[in-house]
Amino acid sequence: MRALTQDRYGWDALAVREVPDPVPGTGQVLVRVHAAGVNPYDWHFAEGQPLVARPTMGGLRGPRPPVRGADLAGVVVGTGPDVTAFAPGDEVFGFGSGGTFAELALAAEDALAHRPAELTPVEAAAVPMAGVTALQHLREAALAAGQRIAITGAGGGIGHLAVQIAAARGARVTGVCSAGNAELVRELGAAETVDYAREDFTAGRRRFDVVLANAGRYPVRALGRVVVPGGLVLVNDGSKEGLLGPLPDLLSAPLVSRFSPYRVRNVTATSSGADLAVLAGLVTDGVLRPVVSATYPLDQAVEAVRQVAGHGHARGKLVVTPA
Ligand SMILES: NC(=O)c1ccc[n+]([C@@H]2O[C@H](COP(=O)([O-])OP(=O)(O)OC[C@H]3O[C@@H](n4cnc5c(N)ncnc54)[C@H](OP(=O)(O)O)[C@@H]3O)[C@@H](O)[C@H]2O)c1
């Protein structure tokens, strides 16, 4: 099969190559990939950023597995031993294991869900990582009707889904995004938007019960200034590069929490099939609508990953279409 692979870190190492077809092991499903969502996660692995995380990416010289891509939507074409929830012919979406910018991909049975009929494969491929991350952060926030939440990166992958979920829970959403995404973010349910190029919302007078920081590289203390006492800062901006990347912010969260009038949390999203099913339910209920701003054939997948590298400016989601 054809797949976007790399044998070392760096953009020039990425190329579409012929690799052996994957074979499903125990508990694994083989999927013909119709569409694969693009995430900053793919950039981290492509470049090996932040440097300190390289050992967790599979190796110091190059990432393992070598195929890029984490999200997928497609059709089941095979199953390994002990798979009971899926059978060949099922339309699925979820998290691949071993790379999804490829014609075929493996996925653990519990990292998949049935694709809701309301979504095309391209739309469904936009949901897994961004949707589960949004859902799990908002669950941590235990957001209630009437509460005020600020979401930075509101026009991006996680942000545009978080805006919809928070608004559906009755929260008053302030979306922090570029002027170009403001109309979209309001359409998706934000009560107001702040153009980060014109206004630093952490220096303003608005106060929030929760801040979900997906982008902007705001210092945690600045975010803390705009939450009410007892409020919650969710640090989810992994865009810092260099040796340590966002690690200092993430590691210092418990300490800052202890000595501040607000709480700071970071949620590491888990590839939960159960949460994919929750998201599918929100789609069916008309609460959630993924926005895909562009699709890329496999041969141009590197371009798609470059769009979300560092402080990218993706509108909604970008999706690769391998087949
Ligand atoms: N905790 C976890 O397990 C987990 C999981 C997945 C991702 N993440 C992290 O979550 C972050 C967001 O991911 P994503 O998929 O949503 O990325 P994305 O799709 O690239 O979206 C980022 C958005 O931020 C906006 N943006 C750029 N600069 C900004 C600024 N200064 N202020 C406010 N918005 C700005 C961009 O568009 P405009 O500038 O045009 O508005 C874009 O819409 C990443 O850093 C990623 O590493 C964490």
Side-chain angles (χ1 to χ4, degrees), residues 151 159-169 188-189 287-291:
I151 298 175
H160 90 288
L161 299 173
V163 166
Q164 296 177 66
I165 299 169
R169 291 186 185 169
L188 297 175
V287 163
L288 196 64
R289 173 171 71 93
V291 172

Side-chain angles (χ1 to χ4, degrees), residues 40 44 133 153 155-158 178 181 196 214-216 236 238-239 267 269 311-314:
H44 289 294
T133 305
I158 295 170
S178 59
N181 283 336
Y196 62 78
N214 296 303
N236 187 47
S239 69
V267 178
H311 238 165
H313 296 281

Side-chain angles (χ1 to χ4, degrees), residues 38-41 43-44 129-130 133 137 152-159 176-181 196 213-218 235-240 266-270 307-317:
V38 179
N39 293 286
Y41 180 86
W43 153 65
H44 289 294
M129 188 173 292
T133 305
H137 274 90
T152 76
I158 295 170
V176 182
C177 58
S178 59
N181 283 336
Y196 62 78
N214 296 303
R217 295 178 185 163
Y218 296 97
V235 181
N236 187 47
D237 182 354
S239 69
K240 284 184 189 163
N266 168 258
V267 178
T268 301
T270 54
Q307 299 292 320
V308 298
H311 238 165
H313 296 281
R315 176 181 168 85
K317 291 289 294 183

Side-chain angles (χ1 to χ4, degrees), residues 20-312:
D21 288 1
V23 178
T26 302
Q28 285 188 320
V29 175
L30 181 66
V31 179
R32 180 161 299 284
V33 182
H34 291 147
V38 179
N39 293 286
Y41 180 86
D42 306 315
W43 153 65
H44 289 294
F45 277 77
E47 273 196 19
Q49 284 282 358
L51 296 177
V52 74
R54 285 191 179 187
T56 67
M57 293 175 178
L60 293 178
R61 290 170 52 85
R64 289 282 170 277
V67 180
R68 297 280 57 78
D71 289 348
L72 63 76
V75 62
V76 175
V77 291
T79 55
D82 297 344
V83 170
T84 55
F86 301 99
D90 286 354
E91 294 281 352
V92 294
F93 76 117
F95 299 89
S97 40
T100 61
F101 297 156
E103 290 168 331
L104 293 165
L106 296 174
E109 179 179 28
D110 60 6
L112 290 176
H114 292 278
R115 172 166 64 84
E118 294 79 5
L119 297 184
T120 64
V122 165
E123 290 169 326
V127 173
M129 188 173 292
V132 163
T133 305
L135 186 70
Q136 293 178 356
H137 274 90
L138 294 177
R139 187 176 288 144
E140 176 72 25
L143 204 61
Q147 286 195 313
R148 294 153 298 170
I149 181 170
I151 298 175
T152 76
I158 295 170
H160 90 288
L161 299 173
V163 166
Q164 296 177 66
I165 299 169
R169 291 186 185 169
R172 185 178 193 283
V173 179
T174 298
V176 182
C177 58
S178 59
N181 283 336
E183 194 179 333
L184 170 72
V185 170
R186 280 196 297 270
E187 257 176 43
L188 297 175
E192 62 173 355
T193 53
V194 175
D195 174 359
Y196 62 78
R198 289 177 165 269
E199 181 185 340
D200 175 2
F201 85 108
T202 67
R205 291 183 166 193
R206 298 179 189 82
R207 293 294 175 266
F208 305 96
D209 300 288
V210 179
V211 173
L212 170 54
N214 296 303
R217 295 178 185 163
Y218 296 97
V220 175
R221 270 202 303 274
L223 298 168
R225 272 202 302 269
V226 293
V227 293
V228 297
L232 177 63
V233 174
L234 291 164
V235 181
N236 187 47
D237 182 354
S239 69
K240 284 184 189 163
E241 300 174 42
L243 177 63
L244 297 178
L247 221 61
D249 280 353
L250 305 183
L251 294 180
S252 65
L255 202 66
V256 179
S257 258
R258 198 178 160 88
F259 295 105
S260 307
Y262 52 87
R263 296 165 295 138
V264 186
R265 297 272 187 280
N266 168 258
V267 178
T268 301
T270 54
S271 51
S272 156
D275 279 346
L276 289 170
V278 171
L279 293 164
L282 294 176
V283 166
T284 302
D285 293 345
V287 163
L288 196 64
R289 173 171 71 93
V291 172
V292 176
S293 59
T295 59
Y296 296 77
L298 187 58
D299 289 329
Q300 290 170 24
V302 177
E303 277 318 299
V305 178
R306 279 186 185 277
Q307 299 292 320
V308 298
H311 238 165

